[in-house]
Amino acid sequence: MLEFRTQGYQGYSVKYSPFFDSRLAVAFDTQDALYDVAWSELHENQLVVACGDGSIKLFDIGLDKFPVQNWQGHSREVFAVHWNLVSKDTFCSSSWDGTIKIWNPNRPQPQYTLPTHTCTYSASFSPHSPSLLSAVSSDSNLRLYDLRVPASASNHLVLSIPIHQSPQNPNRLAGTPPPPPALPPSEALTHDWNKYREQVVAAAGVDRVIRTFDLRSPGQGPVGVLPGHGYAVRRVAWSPHLSDVLLSASYDMTVRVWSDGSAMGVQQGPGMAKEMSGGLGRELGRMERHTEFAVGIDWCLFGAEGWCASCGWDERVLVWDVRGVMGQG
């Protein structure tokens, strides 16, 4: 495990470069309150950050320390930014002002403004389509937008899934416990698209539970329910290498590795944690080296399939191999 001290700066988000396996960007809770960061998919030295003053700033690490571009489009804090992984020429931002905005880095104004009418903590383009993006927000809904749909319909909104509904048709082995009942809605803080199954999204938040959804069957509720964290889940991230594995970071100071049970041959030996309610998902292990809120995680796209980075309010960035914590849940 590698450790980087960021004395005086509490990490909020960490992202691996899509070009270099040795380059990390971290957003800190500075005077400007940087809540998220996303690398450009076009320029290896450029990245955008989400700011607490409602702005989005573009930095080029090959130049000086000042932003090379600044966008003012939100009226409240910007909490998430995400680059379009398919078209590579746009990125999105979401804000506490109840909107998602889509930007072209070469234009001063947003191309689209998508209203959610609620504090939106996380927005992300699909890694499978340049026109699909999703968001989760304080009203406990997972929203899907399709930019190919005429805006006059419902501002490109094509789907809204209540996150806290109870599973309708859980796929369970005989003898496994029934799924938990629906919980009262609470704020959804994070979500991520599966990198291999284009209709699968994971979401989590204040109620400490990770849920997976199949967008083809929005009415059946979550297809997987993964409880276990002691406090709110701040970030989830699917593996870029394995279709059933995801990471989560929580205010309980742990980063946990999970399988949603979808892949055949998932290890189920005595070292693995107990099965999760509502399906075959399970915790595979946890990393407990953070001493304050763990809030940022990301996977390395290169090399061995287990390397990741995490950051937290303990003023540390940790780089580690998830295979080293397997079975320690």
Side-chain angles (χ1 to χ4, degrees):
M1 179 178 291
L2 302 176
E3 178 178 328
F4 300 92
R5 298 290 299 183
T6 58
Q7 186 172 357
Y9 298 97
Q10 297 175 329
Y12 256 93
S13 175
V14 58
K15 296 292 172 60
Y16 268 99
S17 165
F19 299 97
F20 304 102
D21 62 354
S22 58
R23 185 174 289 179
L24 288 166
V26 184
F28 296 105
D29 185 18
T30 63
Q31 183 177 358
D32 295 324
L34 308 182
Y35 291 126
D36 199 13
V37 60
W39 287 94
S40 167
E41 292 288 328
L42 291 174
H43 301 284
E44 63 187 35
N45 289 330
Q46 293 187 353
L47 44 83
V48 291
V49 294
C51 301
D53 63 359
S55 70
I56 303 161
K57 293 178 171 58
L58 177 72
F59 288 88
D60 190 315
I61 62 175
L63 301 176
D64 54 37
K65 61 184 178 180
F66 298 105
V68 297
Q69 195 159 343
N70 185 69
W71 295 275
Q72 293 284 348
H74 291 285
S75 60
R76 292 197 62 189
E77 294 90 335
V78 182
F79 217 66
V81 285
H82 187 267
W83 211 280
N84 193 321
L85 302 179
V86 181
S87 70
K88 301 182 184 299
D89 59 353
T90 57
F91 66 90
C92 67
S93 60
S94 68
S95 168
W96 292 2
D97 67 6
T99 66
I100 303 165
K101 295 182 184 289
I102 299 172
W103 309 81
N104 183 304
N106 297 315
R107 298 180 181 179
Q109 301 298 325
Q111 292 181 307
Y112 300 88
T113 296
L114 310 175
T116 65
H117 308 293
T118 182
C119 178
T120 306
Y121 290 103
S122 174
S124 175
F125 277 102
S126 165
H128 310 284
S129 168
S131 304
L132 294 176
L133 70 155
S134 55
V136 296
S137 50
S138 59
D139 67 353
S140 184
N141 275 270
L142 168 63
R143 291 177 171 84
L144 178 67
Y145 296 88
D146 189 339
L147 301 181
R148 297 166 296 188
V149 174
S152 58
S154 54
N155 292 301
H156 304 287
L157 179 68
V158 294
L159 198 61
S160 184
I161 302 175
I163 292 174
H164 286 75
Q165 61 183 310
S166 180
Q168 300 299 311
N169 296 296
N171 296 316
R172 296 187 290 116
L173 290 177
T176 59
L183 296 173
S186 61
E187 291 188 307
L189 303 177
T190 178
H191 79 299
D192 193 35
W193 291 79
N194 189 284
K195 306 307 184 289
Y196 293 91
R197 292 173 287 152
E198 63 184 41
Q199 299 293 337
V200 175
V201 175
V206 171
D207 74 348
R208 305 167 294 171
V209 177
I210 302 167
R211 296 172 176 83
T212 60
F213 296 87
D214 189 327
L215 300 180
R216 296 168 296 185
S217 305
Q220 77 173 45
V223 295
V225 181
L226 303 170
H229 277 294
Y231 291 99
V233 180
R234 185 59 192 84
R235 192 86 62 169
V236 293
W238 286 100
S239 167
H241 305 289
L242 301 171
S243 65
D244 67 309
V245 173
L246 66 158
L247 277 177
S248 61
S250 169
Y251 289 154
D252 67 8
M253 301 184 289
T254 69
V255 177
R256 306 194 187 200
V257 192
W258 309 83
S259 170
D260 70 351
S262 61
M264 297 298 293
V266 173
Q267 183 178 353
Q268 298 183 14
M272 298 296 102
K274 62 182 180 180
E275 290 197 3
M276 298 294 106
S277 300
L280 302 180
R282 59 176 62 236
E283 181 184 333
L284 300 178
R286 68 185 67 173
M287 191 276 290
E288 301 177 292
R289 293 282 298 274
H290 284 291
T291 57
E292 266 292 348
F293 295 159
V295 293
I297 47 172
D298 197 27
W299 295 87
C300 182
L301 299 175
F302 307 97
E305 63 190 26
W307 283 94
C308 67
S310 59
C311 68
W313 287 14
D314 56 1
E315 303 176 358
R316 293 190 299 163
V317 178
L318 303 180
V319 178
W320 48 287
D321 189 341
V322 300
R323 293 169 296 182
V325 302
M326 291 294 192
Q328 297 181 20

